[in-house]
């Protein structure tokens, strides 16, 4: 198996590319970035450490993410008629730690807007990616999205941050 | 133009046997009357005793649109006060929860109040001598809500000093709360896991109606629960069924399933789906839980408690309780077209953590602003809120399985797709709207 020469630039390029897949609504490609045991996590509380015995906004494995992706493409997904759109504005990611044999942890502050019809909603926070190398490619084992106002009352959040 | 204020006949005329006028969902004047009358004449949920375990603990919330604070008084009783300083009107308790010690202190001018609301002290007291202050409203401190009832740790209040008793109001419907609490091997619940808050641009009653609307899941939730079932079917053979699929799949059960599961209709707008069967009936057991229940209650009683798998219980006006999932959803009215939905969860004290984990997963998958099931529903509510403005039609239909004899009946179980419970809610609405007019 070939191993990647993982530099900081490899990691930050990955973060930018991932956000672009979401903004371009290439959800199948995006889903393929996750490892089979990967999770997408949006905590409900600041500094939350437990996704199991404390509620989160989202804590989804690949099966549940696949349900979302297929639902977004469904003919009877009425909350997506018309469709939502989104845009990520990312701050330069910082590599928090990098273990060539294990996880690379990257933190990225963001402003994210999700729009639908005449409504545009701004979400602000930071993501923490736990990336691993798998079959010669970087994959997401955990993407954690912390919103500044994670405990606020939101309307629908339908796409991915 | 006031059409409904002081005109109980006009209010009653909005509710017919088979249909309800659109104004009940979109009219601001009616919304104001609901806050003045409906939410004052009924027993409204405030909070749970486990949120204020110690003396001085408080929790701030709203009853209708009234800001209130629920507090554990020095005598260990739970009090509900209007959260308003009698001096200049400032909201006294600002945080959602905390401990205020033996008294509340207004942050504006440092007037202090005992935790029963009575005025404790005012700075520069001399300035009020010989002014007639004794005759002022402010002398009496923060106004207490006089009628508070704590039922198995669930705290309800009735804002109007006079009206229906707690027992008379809820009657047999309290059996759902009993069942939820009895599911703890220690007979006790605790609020746990955080509250999901979801803003809805629609009238609060749309959410209440939806709780016993059993003809929408297979249609509106085809996109979410239906897709979950489809994705699961594509999983490699032998894959253990994930908890999430177990929770999602029953949503897209057949019409026949929902017809057979039944609805029970109580008095005063209360009722529940899931009499004979329910979407919560076939969850995997949590290891060790059955043995704990048998140890507490004996086999027969444990079987009866766990065999009662009611789906959604509406406590009119604005909460829904799920016993088997230990969830309480609170539909907080903000305006005719705005509702804050809070979904609360409980730990069955003494039971395995797996049950709380399932409760929290259910809440996340179904009730979060990020929930695909929530998206399906909110889309329908918001479309209705918009289109009800239409002049093309004036009425909302609730005719399904109507029988004129039902008006004389109470505590009856019926076909699970009957809209009787919606009609029941609106009959209660008309009654408690006009009772104090």
């Amino acid at each position: 198996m070939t191993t990647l020469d993982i530099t900081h630039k490899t990691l930050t390029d990955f973060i930018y590319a991932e956000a672009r897949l979401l903004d371009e609504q290439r959800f199948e490609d995006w889903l393929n970035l996750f490892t089979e045991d990967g999770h997408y996590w949006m905590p409900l509380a600041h500094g939350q450490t437990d996704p199991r015995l404390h509620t989160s906004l989202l804590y989804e494995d690949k099966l549940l993410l696949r349900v979302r992706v297929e639902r977004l493409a469904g003919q009877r997904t009425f909350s997506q008629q018309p469709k939502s759109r989104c845009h990520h504005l990312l701050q330069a990611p910082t590599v928090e730690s990098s273990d060539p044999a294990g996880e690379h942890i990257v933190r990225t502050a963001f402003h994210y807007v999700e729009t639908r019809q005449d409504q545009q909603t701004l979400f602000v926070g930071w993501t923490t990616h736990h990336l691993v190398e798998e079959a010669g490619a970087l994959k997401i084992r955990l993407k954690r999205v912390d919103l500044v106002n994670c405990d606020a009352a939101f309307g629908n959040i339908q796409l991915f941050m | 133009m006031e059409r409904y204020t002081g005109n109980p006949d006009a209010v009653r005329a909005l509710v017919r046997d088979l249909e309800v006028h659109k104004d009940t969902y979109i009219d601001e004047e009616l919304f104001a009357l609901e806050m003045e009358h409906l939410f004052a004449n009924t027993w409204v949920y405030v909070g749970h005793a486990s949120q204020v375990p110690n003396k001085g603990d408080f929790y701030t919330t709203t009853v209708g649109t009234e800001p209130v604070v629920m507090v554990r008084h020095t005598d260990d009783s739970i009090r509900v006060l209007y959260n308003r300083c009698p001096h200049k009107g400032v909201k006294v308790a600002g945080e959602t929860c905390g401990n205020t010690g033996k008294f509340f202190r207004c942050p504006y001018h440092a007037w202090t109040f005992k935790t029963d609301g009575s005025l404790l002290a005012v700075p520069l007291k001399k300035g009020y001598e010989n002014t007639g202050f004794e005759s002022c409203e402010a002398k009496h401190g923060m106004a207490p809500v006089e009628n508070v009832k704590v039922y198995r740790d669930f705290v309800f209040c009735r804002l109007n000093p006079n009206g229906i008793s707690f027992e008379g109001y809820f009657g047999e419907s309290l059996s759902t709360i009993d069942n939820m609490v009895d599911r703890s091997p220690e007979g006790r619940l605790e609020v746990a896991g955080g509250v999901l808050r979801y803003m809805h641009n629609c009238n609060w009653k749309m959410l209440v109606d939806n709780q016993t609307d059993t003809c929408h899941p297979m249609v509106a939730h085809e996109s979410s629960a239906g897709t979950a079932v489809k994705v699961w079917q594509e999983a490699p053979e032998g894959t253990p069924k994930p908890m999430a699929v177990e929770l999602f799949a029953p949503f897209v059960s057949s019409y026949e399933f929902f017809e057979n599961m039944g609805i029970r209709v109580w008095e005063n707008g209360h009722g529940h789906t899931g009499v004979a069967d329910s979407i919560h009936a076939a969850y995997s057991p949590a290891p060790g839980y059955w043995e704990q229940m048998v140890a507490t209650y004996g086999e027969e009683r444990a079987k009866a408690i766990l065999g009662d798998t009611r789906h959604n219980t509406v406590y009119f006006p604005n909460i829904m309780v799920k016993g088997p999932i230990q969830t309480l959803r609170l539909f907080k009215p903000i305006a005719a077209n705005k509702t804050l939905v809070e979904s609360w969860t409980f730990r069955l004290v003494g039971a395995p953590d797996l049950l709380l984990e399932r409760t929290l997963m259910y809440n996340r998958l179904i009730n979060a602003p990020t929930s695909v099931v929530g998206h399906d529903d909110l889309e329908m509510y918001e479309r209705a809120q918009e289109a009800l403005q239409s002049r093309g039609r004036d009425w909302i239909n609730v005719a399904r399985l109507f029988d004129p004899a039902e008006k004389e009946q109470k505590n009856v179980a019926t076909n699970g797709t009957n809209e009787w419970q919606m009609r029941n809610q609106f009959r209660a609405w008309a009654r408690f709207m006009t009772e104090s007019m």
Side-chain angles (χ1 to χ4, degrees), chain B residues 13-33:
Chain B
L14 297 167
V15 180
R16 295 176 176 170
D17 280 349
L18 306 178
E19 48 195 6
V20 180
H21 196 271
K22 68 181 181 187
D23 278 5
T24 57
Y25 296 86
I26 62 176
D27 188 89
E28 290 290 352
E29 186 194 348
L30 279 172
F31 180 83
L33 290 171

Side-chain angles (χ1 to χ4, degrees), chain B residues 339-406:
Chain B
T339 306
L340 172 61
V341 181
E342 292 184 349
S343 297
W344 292 86
T345 43
F346 301 90
R347 177 199 298 277
L348 298 170
V349 176
D353 280 347
L354 183 69
L355 291 172
L356 178 61
E357 184 182 355
R358 180 157 69 202
T359 292
L360 299 183
M361 180 183 274
Y362 185 91
N363 208 24
R364 195 173 72 229
L365 290 178
I366 312 300
N367 299 329
T370 38
S371 154
V372 286
V373 171
H375 298 161
D376 291 339
D377 282 327
L378 181 52
E379 177 70 11
M380 296 307 126
Y381 307 148
E382 292 186 347
R383 286 194 195 196
Q385 197 68 34
E386 183 187 349
L388 278 173
Q389 302 288 340
S390 164
R391 292 197 289 180
R393 290 273 182 263
D394 285 334
W395 298 85
I396 285 156
N397 195 275
V398 289
R400 192 173 164 72
L401 294 171
F402 173 71
D403 172 359
E406 75 186 30

Side-chain angles (χ1 to χ4, degrees), chain B residues 93-140:
Chain B
E95 299 267 6
T96 307
C97 56
N99 184 290
T100 194
K102 288 191 172 142
F103 58 89
F104 286 110
R105 179 179 183 271
C106 180
Y108 199 9
H109 300 96
W111 287 29
T112 52
F113 310 94
K114 292 183 191 166
T115 46
D116 61 1
S118 58
L119 185 60
L120 181 63
V122 174
L124 290 172
K125 201 174 157 196
K126 273 192 169 167
Y128 291 96
E129 283 171 12
N130 305 315
T131 61
F133 180 71
E134 297 299 311
S135 65
C136 290
E137 192 186 57
K139 172 74 179 73
H140 302 290

Side-chain angles (χ1 to χ4, degrees), chain B residues 54-101:
Chain B
N54 304 308
K55 287 172 188 167
D57 284 351
F58 69 87
Y59 161 67
T60 57
T61 180
T62 48
V63 172
T65 46
E66 293 289 323
V68 297
V69 54
M70 173 175 101
V71 59
R72 179 80 67 170
H73 187 46
T74 38
D75 66 0
D76 253 334
S77 67
I78 290 176
R79 305 297 176 99
V80 178
L81 312 174
Y82 289 92
N83 193 2
R84 187 260 200 213
C85 181
H87 180 209
K88 301 294 186 196
V90 168
K91 194 161 110 173
V92 177
E95 299 267 6
T96 307
C97 56
N99 184 290
T100 194

Side-chain angles (χ1 to χ4, degrees), chain B residues 8 12 15 27 49 52 116 169 201 206 229 237 239 259 281-282 284 295 316 396 405 422-423 433 436:
Chain B
R12 276 189 284 265
V15 180
D27 188 89
V52 289
D116 61 1
Y169 184 63
N201 290 317
M206 288 188 188
V229 170
E237 204 153 325
T239 316
E259 284 189 309
S284 306
F316 188 76
I396 285 156
M422 294 183 209
R423 296 187 290 273
M433 274 290 270
S436 49

Side-chain angles (χ1 to χ4, degrees), chain A residues 44 51-60 63-64 66-68 70-71 76-79 81 116 151-158, chain B residues 193-199 222-224 227-228 230-231 244-245 248 340 353 357 360 364-365 369-370 372 375-376 378-380 383:
Chain A
L44 181 65
R52 206 171 69 89
L53 296 181
H54 191 284
T55 314
S56 301
L57 288 164
L58 280 173
Y59 183 64
E60 308 226 321
L63 179 120
L64 285 172
R66 174 154 292 289
V67 170
R68 283 183 187 270
E70 294 202 10
R71 178 181 176 275
R76 288 183 174 168
T77 304
F78 303 111
S79 75
Q81 296 174 12
R116 184 163 178 255
D151 48 3
F154 299 112
N156 279 349
I157 300 171
Q158 299 208 54
Chain B
V195 56
L196 284 167
R197 303 170 69 237
Y198 192 176
M199 197 60 83
E222 183 185 334
S223 90
S224 50
T227 305
K230 187 173 145 273
V231 168
V245 173
F248 265 142
L340 172 61
D353 280 347
E357 184 182 355
L360 299 183
R364 195 173 72 229
L365 290 178
T370 38
V372 286
H375 298 161
D376 291 339
L378 181 52
E379 177 70 11
M380 296 307 126
R383 286 194 195 196

